[in-house]
Amino acid sequence: MTTEPAFSQNVTVLGLGAMGTAIASAFLDAGHHTTVWNRTSAKADGLVQKGGLKAASLADAVGASPLIVVCVSDYAAVEGLLDSVEDFDQRTLVNVTSGGAAAARELEAWVQQRNGRYLDGAILAMTSEIGPDQSGMVLVSGDASSWTENEKTLAALGGGLKYLGSNVALAGLHDLAGLAVTWSVLNAFMHAAALFESVGESPKSMVPLIEDTLKSAASWLPGYADQIESGDIAPDGDIAGTLQAMENLLEESVAAGINTDLPKFLRGLAAQAVDAGDGGKGYPALIHQLRKPSVAAAH
Ligand code: NAP
């Protein structure tokens, strides 16, 4: 279903890969005058059939709109493709290419030096979840006035659009934090599945316990975040006792003949905490170890 536009703005989309095409399509569905450009120009043809305007050059694409959304493979590609733009003339560049905090800060400075305004974005959604009637999560951080001016236009991307604040690092960091937690949970699940297989049992049998465990762990997070921020770590914890349970996990993994990297990592971190005098403290005391560079390189 196409949403009737409450208003229509000029917007440019640079980069028409899978996600850039979904973004341009979303702006068209919302009724915006959408100019598109891609290094391989034939990729714009489908969008032209939908009503998009194919810019003859990158300079034309940038000049066509006060709001420019760029979505390419990585930040180096963003800077490379925009290198010829000497003056953004106060246009807003929204970069939804995936990346981290340092890259976002660097690109913000780079755009500001060229008289532009910058918003960093992170897309936590699949292409099918991008659109005015979709709920895909798109996180944005950076220049507050640019956000205020463009929020209504960017709403075409989906109901999960959210502004996180003026610190440009926030969008990419939220993306990476969510991915890190997801990967960590999934890796631990796979490791446990290998243990279950080693005794001839189906990994399915542990799923209800793991689901309950994740719910409990999720309920601890607000309190843990308070302790980390205040520095007031619970003094009546038992990291030393937890270390023994981690030894058990490692022994079990060795005996099962499966990969031991995960239990070794868990044990190593807890052992560092105990060595540092945090053995009797609550689990958030591990932050003292994680704030420092790694003792040994991972590879
Ligand atoms: P993609 O389909 O591989 O498209 C890559 C795009 O980058 C193409 O338009 C390509 O142009 C362009 N590009 C690459 N290097 C370039 C360069 N040096 N100069 C100019 N253009 C260059 O990738 P995608 O799936 O759209 O992903 C784009 C971004 O969205 C990534 O950061 C990705 O992490 C993020 N994202 C994607 C999804 C998803 O479901 N696809 C989900 C969340 C986030 P050509 O066509 O000329 O090669």
Side-chain angles (χ1 to χ4, degrees):
M1 191 185 84
T2 300
T3 301
E4 283 301 314
F7 79 112
S8 181
Q9 189 182 328
N10 286 5
V11 57
T12 288
V13 179
L14 306 176
L16 303 173
M19 187 51 82
T21 297
I23 289 167
S25 199
F27 286 130
L28 288 167
D29 287 345
H32 298 300
H33 299 289
T34 308
T35 299
V36 293
W37 180 91
N38 192 57
R39 179 178 62 176
T40 308
S41 82
K43 287 190 187 169
D45 295 346
L47 290 160
V48 170
Q49 283 174 11
K50 268 191 91 165
L53 307 162
K54 183 171 164 178
S57 66
L58 179 75
D60 285 353
V62 169
S65 313
L67 175 64
I68 301 152
V69 178
V70 59
C71 183
V72 289
S73 303
D74 54 38
Y75 277 59
V78 175
E79 288 197 21
L81 82 87
L82 289 171
D83 197 39
S84 59
V85 181
E86 289 175 0
D87 187 350
F88 281 97
D89 197 17
Q90 283 299 298
R91 290 180 173 82
T92 293
L93 181 73
V94 186
N95 173 37
V96 294
T97 304
S98 302
R105 281 199 209 94
E106 194 180 305
L107 191 57
E108 177 185 52
W110 191 90
V111 171
Q112 287 171 349
Q113 281 162 12
R114 286 162 177 74
N115 192 28
R117 296 187 293 163
Y118 183 73
L119 288 168
D120 198 71
I123 300 177
L124 285 67
M126 297 182 292
T127 54
S128 58
E129 297 170 320
I130 298 298
D133 300 322
Q134 304 298 327
S135 58
M137 188 180 288
V138 179
L139 304 178
V140 178
S141 58
D143 187 86
S145 62
S146 288
W147 166 254
T148 306
E149 283 168 34
N150 295 297
E151 179 182 358
K152 274 173 79 177
T153 310
L154 293 170
L157 301 182
L161 178 75
K162 191 172 177 191
Y163 179 65
L164 300 170
S166 59
N167 185 340
V168 75
L170 284 171
L173 275 187
H174 274 73
D175 188 16
L176 291 175
L179 289 169
V181 169
T182 303
W183 292 329
S184 299
V185 166
L186 293 180
N187 284 4
F189 180 77
M190 307 301 173
H191 181 265
L195 277 179
F196 271 65
E197 285 175 349
S198 76
V199 295
E201 290 292 336
S202 164
K204 282 185 195 167
S205 64
M206 68 167 166
V207 169
L209 172 80
I210 302 299
E211 286 174 334
D212 287 347
T213 303
L214 288 176
K215 280 181 205 149
S216 294
S219 73
W220 304 335
L221 300 183
Y224 277 19
D226 281 345
Q227 291 184 47
I228 290 166
E229 191 172 326
S230 67
D232 195 9
I233 308 284
D236 53 351
D238 188 17
I239 291 181
T242 304
L243 177 58
Q244 184 53 53
M246 291 167 175
E247 294 281 7
N248 295 345
L249 178 65
L250 177 56
E251 278 174 28
E252 190 69 29
S253 305
V254 171
I258 68 167
N259 187 292
T260 55
D261 289 350
L262 179 63
K264 278 182 182 162
F265 168 72
L266 297 173
R267 183 190 64 167
L269 199 63
Q272 285 171 35
V274 171
D275 289 348
D278 283 342
K281 295 196 182 148
Y283 209 80
L286 289 179
I287 191 72
H288 298 147
Q289 304 310 313
L290 290 166
R291 280 184 182 133
K292 301 185 292 192
S294 303
V295 173
H299 296 287

